[in-house]
C-alpha cells in the first residue's frame, strides 16, 4: 500500500480538507471504522448523516471502552490519532505514514476529543477517516502528567509519614531518617524503571 494513497490525517483538525455540509455526500449506508488501542480494537459504525462532532463523540466512547478500568486508575491518556492498517491479524496495529507529530497538533486532538462540539457541521475528520475501508485509526497514548505528579506526591508523603511515625515511636530519628530515605529511593527507582520500560521492548 503506497503511503501517498492514504488519507492525509495530521491529527486534530484532523485533516487537510474542505468538506462541508453541501459536499459531504457519502455513498455508503454504514462505514465500519476499526479503532485500535495497542492490541485491543473494536469497530465503530459510522452513519452517513454524522458530522465530525458525532464521529468524535463515538471515538471518545470507543476509547473509553477500550481502556476499561484503566481510565480510572491508569497513568496514560490519548495523545493523538494515527492511521493504521485495518487488519487485527498484525496483533499490534501497523501504522501508516510518518509517526512524528508536532506538539500543537497533539494538543489540538486532545482538545477536540474533549470538546467535540467544536466540530459541529464540519466534515474534514469524517471524510478523511472514511476514505478507505482498509485503513483504521489508532489511539496513541501519552503519560498523564497530573496523575504522575500526584503519585509522586503520595509516595513522598508515605516516606515522610513512615519516617516521622517511626521517629516518634522509637525516638531514634537517625534510623527513622534512613528508613524514610530508603523508601523514597525505592519509589524513585520504581518511577525510573517505569519510564525506562516505556521506551524499550522486552
Amino acid at each position: 500500500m503506497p503511503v501517498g494513497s492514504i488519507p492525509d490525517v495530521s491529527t486534530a483538525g484532523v485533516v487537510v480538507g474542505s468538506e462541508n455540509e453541501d459536499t459531504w455526500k457519502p455513498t455508503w449506508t454504514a462505514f465500519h471504522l476499526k479503532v485500535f488501542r495497542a492490541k485491543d480494537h473494536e469497530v465503530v459504525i459510522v452513519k452517513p448523516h454524522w458530522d465530525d462532532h458525532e464521529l468524535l463523540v463515538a471515538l471518545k466512547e470507543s476509547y473509553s471502552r477500550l481502556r476499561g478500568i484503566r481510565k480510572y486508575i491508569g497513568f496514560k491518556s490519548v495523545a493523538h490519532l494515527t492511521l493504521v492498517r485495518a487488519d487485527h491479524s498484525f496483533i499490534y496495529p501497523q501504522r501508516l505514514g510518518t509517526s512524528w507529530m508536532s506538539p500543537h497538533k497533539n494538543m489540538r486532538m486532545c482538545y477536540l476529543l474533549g470538546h467535540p462540539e467544536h466540530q459541529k457541521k464540519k466534515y474534514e475528520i469524517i471524510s478523511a477517516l472514511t476514505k478507505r475501508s482498509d485503513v483504521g485509526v489508532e489511539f496513541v497514548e501519552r503519560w498523564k502528567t497530573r496523575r504522575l505528579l500526584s503519585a509522586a506526591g503520595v509516595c513522598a508523603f508515605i516516606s515522610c509519614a513512615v519516617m516521622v511515625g517511626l521517629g516518634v515511636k522509637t525516638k531514634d530519628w537517625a534510623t527513622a531518617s534512613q528508613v524514610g530515605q530508603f523508601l523514597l529511593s525505592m519509589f524513585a527507582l520504581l518511577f525510573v524503571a517505569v519510564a525506562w520500560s516505556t521506551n524499550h521492548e522486552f
Side-chain angles (χ1 to χ4, degrees):
M1 178 189 301
V3 173
S5 66
I6 66 175
D8 183 8
V9 177
S10 46
T11 72
V14 166
V15 305
V16 178
S18 57
E19 293 286 352
N20 55 49
E21 193 170 7
D22 295 326
T23 60
W24 173 243
K25 299 185 185 298
T27 57
W28 37 263
T29 55
F31 187 90
H32 293 69
L33 177 64
K34 271 195 174 179
V35 180
F36 294 81
R37 177 191 174 273
K39 67 180 186 300
D40 301 319
H41 74 278
E42 69 173 37
V43 176
V44 172
I45 308 299
V46 183
K47 304 298 178 58
H49 63 271
W50 282 10
D51 58 8
D52 285 355
H53 166 256
E54 290 169 303
L55 177 61
L56 285 168
V57 169
L59 289 175
K60 183 178 180 180
E61 293 173 351
S62 175
Y63 178 63
S64 180
R65 288 191 296 270
L66 289 171
R67 291 190 73 198
I69 195 173
R70 287 185 291 264
K71 64 185 175 184
Y72 302 110
I73 62 175
F75 288 95
K76 287 187 175 183
S77 63
V78 65
H80 64 271
L81 304 180
T82 190
L83 294 176
V84 296
R85 292 182 187 272
D87 185 355
H88 61 273
S89 64
F90 287 107
I91 310 302
Y92 283 87
Q94 185 176 10
R95 296 177 184 176
L96 302 172
T98 177
S99 61
W100 183 85
M101 201 61 60
S102 63
H104 79 277
K105 288 178 179 176
N106 290 346
M107 291 186 289
R108 189 160 185 257
M109 186 70 251
C110 293
Y111 176 83
L112 290 180
L113 285 171
H115 304 83
E117 65 278 0
H118 182 83
Q119 290 296 107
K120 279 187 176 181
K121 300 302 181 183
K122 296 181 181 179
Y123 299 85
E124 289 89 353
I125 301 175
I126 193 171
S127 66
L129 298 184
T130 57
K131 284 186 183 297
R132 291 179 50 172
S133 59
D134 61 339
V135 173
V137 66
E138 178 191 2
F139 291 105
V140 180
E141 296 184 317
R142 65 177 179 181
W143 290 104
K144 278 188 174 181
T145 305
R146 290 182 180 178
R147 288 196 179 184
L148 284 175
L149 291 176
S150 298
V154 169
C155 292
F157 175 78
I158 291 174
S159 301
C160 290
V162 170
M163 180 186 69
V164 172
L166 189 62
V168 170
K169 184 176 181 179
T170 63
K171 306 301 182 183
D172 185 354
W173 288 99
T175 301
S177 177
Q178 290 179 344
V179 171
Q181 291 177 16
F182 173 78
L183 287 177
L184 197 59
S185 299
M186 290 300 99
F187 286 136
L189 184 61
L190 179 61
F191 275 101
V192 170
V194 170
W196 181 87
S197 67
T198 60
N199 296 314
H200 295 78
E201 296 182 0
F202 296 93

